[in-house]
């Protein structure tokens, strides 16, 4: 299948890309890795009139530690986050999620920025970024602004990236104290979107008390979902089995899955409960290892 | 909106006039007339169209031809070595790694990158490594054996047995 006709530009600076976005207006779309957009265009679910390819804009693909923040460029490929030793030493969640996103060929092309900007609750990076409490850097004609991950996802395919804007980077705070992260999703087969997925990051003080918890859920709500009640249940405790059980129960109650070919609502809630439990255990283990 | 583009495939330049919406796989098959790269699905799922772009395995049905300008593209036609088949081609032949052969070019092109990153993969590494490539015939076992064989050959190690395994 072939997409409907469109025009194509490959600017070589961000400024040029922003000018093109302004000139062309809402018929223009950014092309990053193209591995969400092109499949949708082939099926004619999307028919943009003009693609603005970011591949030739230098300086958008990097993983840098700056003080207590790790900054990841929007055009960083999934494979590069999966394979980065520097990133995974701090946040092993990227190795977990890397292996579970699509397949190696897709990860060679798909970008982290695109995975978030696509605004699809079935994608895996949104829940990871919620667990890690990331901030998203967005550039427009008026300059750069930063949006917290909780204010980023609006609805189905809708994010805080507005018309005329480009997502440029993801900023992940490095917590104080001991911290560990983990992600897993249940999938019918390799390469499938999640039946349900859970990302967790836990931070502990020197006495072993959990000071911060981040839990993001994949594909069990119209938008990527933060499991707030579960997080609150963990903070201030030493994350005992009892507390973990309670947090997992909250996640399964607070998500809003809809029945589809991957399972009915009840099944998905059970998946979320089991995975929440397992990922809390794994994140805790990693925090202390 | 048509424009003339030149793509470098297996070291040779192919120039053609295409629309931006022309997919790379169509350029390869219908403009460069290299039909070893296959199309097996409409949903970017099967991997039959896998090629290398600057050494990275990619699904050419999910990339625009125009995005590949200035890159080195390798298709299955560019796989054989000057003095004979590539170890992967030998591996697939010796281990019956194909039945109908439809998935085979994609499997081999994917395995090129897999073996380059991980010259001595375990069975699990191989199965994860080809998770973006579907085969309707073989049941994968002989594909895994073929890639193992190619790895051994490329490392210069003793070649694993190509005898079929019978399960009692
Ligand atoms: C077979 C298959 C299976 C998949 N399975 C999974 C999976 O299991 N889990 C998962 O998470 N993903 C999966 N994906 C999606 C894949 O990870 C995509 O690559 C990713 O969602 C989008 O990244 P991209 O760089 O390809 O974005 P593109 O497809 O280029 O863009 C996606 C959208 O975001 C916009 N956009 C992209 N970058 C920017 C930017 N910097 N600024 C503003 N807007 C931007 C585009 O305009 C477009 O609307 C799968 C894809 C395929 C083909
Ligand atoms: S043709 Fe099926 S993945 Fe490209
Ligand atoms: S050999 Fe027939 S699809 Fe693989």
């Amino acid at each position: 299948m072939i997409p409907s006709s469109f025009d194509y530009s490959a600017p070589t600076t961000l400024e040029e890309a922003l000018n093109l976005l302004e000139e062309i207006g809402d018929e223009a779309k950014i092309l990053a890795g193209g591995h969400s957009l092109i499949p949708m265009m082939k099926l004619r679910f999307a028919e943009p009139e003009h693609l603005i390819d970011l591949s030739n804009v230098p300086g958008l693909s990097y993983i840098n530690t700056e003080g207590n923040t790790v900054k990841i460029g929007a055009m960083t490929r999934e494979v590069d986050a999966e394979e980065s030793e520097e990133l995974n030493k701090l946040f092993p969640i990227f190795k977990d999620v890397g292996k579970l996103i699509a397949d190696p060929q897709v990860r060679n092309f798909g970008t982290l920025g695109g995975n978030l900007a696509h605004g699809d609750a079935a994608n895996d990076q949104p829940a990871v970024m919620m667990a890690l409490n990331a901030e998203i850097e967005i550039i427009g004609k008026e300059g750069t602004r930063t949006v917290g991950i909780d204010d980023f996802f609006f609805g189905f395919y809708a994010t805080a990236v507005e018309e005329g804007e480009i997502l440029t980077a993801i900023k992940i705070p490095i917590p104080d104290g001991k911290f560990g992260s983990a992600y897993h999703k249940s999938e019918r087969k390799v390469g499938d979107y999640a039946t349900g997925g859970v990302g967790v990051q836990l931070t502990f003080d020197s006495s072993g008390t959990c000071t911060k918890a981040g839990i993001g859920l994949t594909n069990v709500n119209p938008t990527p979902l933060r499991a707030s009640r579960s997080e609150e249940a963990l903070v201030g405790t030493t994350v005992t089995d009892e507390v973990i059980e309670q947090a997992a129960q909250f996640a399964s109650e607070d998500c809003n899955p809809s029945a589809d070919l991957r399972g009915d609502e009840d099944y998905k809630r059970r998946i979320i409960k089991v995975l929440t439990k397992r990922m809390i255990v794994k994140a805790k283990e990693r925090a202390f290892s | 909106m048509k424009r003339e583009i030149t793509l470098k495939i297996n070291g040779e330049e192919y120039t053609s006039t295409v629309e931006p919406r022309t997919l790379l796989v169509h350029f390869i098959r219908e403009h460069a007339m290299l039909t070893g790269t296959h199309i097996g699905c409409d949903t970017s799922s099967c991997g039959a169209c896998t090629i290398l772009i600057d050494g990275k395995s990619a699904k050419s049905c999910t990339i625009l031809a125009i995005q590949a300008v200035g890159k080195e593209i390798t298709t299955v036609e560019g796989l054989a070595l000057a003095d004979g088949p590539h170890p992967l081609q030998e591996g697939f032949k010796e281990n019956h790694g194909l039945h109908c052969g439809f998935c085979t070019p994609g499997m081999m092109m994917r395995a090129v990158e897999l073996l380059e990153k991980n010259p001595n993969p375990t069975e699990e590494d191989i199965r994860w490594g080809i998770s973006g490539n579907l085969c309707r015939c073989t049941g994968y076992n002989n594909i895994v054996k073929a890639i193992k064989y190619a790895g051994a050959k490329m490392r210069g190690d003793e070649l694993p047995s190509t005898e079929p395994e019978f399960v009692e």
Side-chain angles (χ1 to χ4, degrees), chain A residues 42 103 105, chain B residues 25 38-50 58-62 102 132-134:
Chain A
K42 283 168 69 178
D103 57 56
Q105 288 97 313
Chain B
V25 71
H38 294 164
I39 302 173
C41 73
D42 286 323
T43 52
S44 311
S45 318
C46 75
C49 61
T50 301
K59 292 182 172 175
S60 59
C61 71
T62 313
F102 197 83
N133 296 73
L134 302 181

Side-chain angles (χ1 to χ4, degrees), chain A residues 1-8 31 34-35 38-39 42 44 53 79 83 99 103-105 108-109 190, chain B residues 1 3 19-21 23 42 44 50 56-59 61-63 66-67 110 113 117 128-129 131-133:
Chain A
M1 276 193 271
I2 304 169
S4 30
S5 288
F6 56 85
D7 207 348
Y8 170 93
L31 177 68
H35 275 53
I38 293 175
K42 283 168 69 178
R44 311 262 170 131
D53 186 354
V79 65
E83 290 179 354
K99 207 173 174 186
D103 57 56
Q105 288 97 313
N108 272 346
F109 263 70
V190 173
Chain B
M1 276 185 260
R3 49 188 104 179
E19 283 189 63
R21 62 171 167 167
L23 300 170
D42 286 323
S44 311
T50 301
K56 286 185 154 204
S57 53
K59 292 182 172 175
C61 71
T62 313
I63 293 164
I66 203 165
Q67 283 179 284
R110 170 60 203 138
E113 191 194 9
K117 279 194 175 170
W128 274 103
S131 58
N133 296 73

Side-chain angles (χ1 to χ4, degrees), chain A residues 17 23 68 70 73 97 131 150 169-171 192-193 196 209 236 243 253 258:
Chain A
E23 234 168 78
N68 47 12
V70 175
V97 72
D150 290 309
I170 301 143
K171 295 198 268 187
D192 191 21
Y193 289 94
T209 302
V243 174
E253 285 171 12
S258 45

Side-chain angles (χ1 to χ4, degrees), chain A residues 14 21 28-40 46 51-52 54 60 73-78 97 100-103 106-107 109-120 122-126 137-139 152 157 159 161-162 165-169 183 185 187 189-194 218, chain B residues 43-46 59 62 67:
Chain A
L14 266 181
L21 278 175
K29 248 197 177 310
I30 294 290
L31 177 68
H35 275 53
S36 285
L37 187 53
I38 293 175
M40 285 179 65
L51 290 189
I52 301 171
L54 291 185
L60 289 177
M75 288 294 285
T76 304
R77 310 282 169 179
E78 301 281 3
V97 72
L100 294 170
I101 292 177
D103 57 56
V106 172
R107 296 198 294 274
F109 263 70
T111 65
L112 264 72
N115 199 300
L116 299 172
H118 191 47
D120 186 347
N123 273 5
D124 295 293
Q125 293 290 1
E137 200 178 86
I138 301 169
I139 196 170
F152 186 75
Y157 298 140
T159 70
V161 182
E162 284 173 23
E165 291 187 319
I166 296 173
L167 192 166
T168 46
Y183 183 84
K185 79 184 198 192
E187 51 185 355
K189 58 180 178 63
V190 173
D192 191 21
Y193 289 94
T218 301
Chain B
T43 52
S44 311
S45 318
C46 75
K59 292 182 172 175
T62 313
Q67 283 179 284

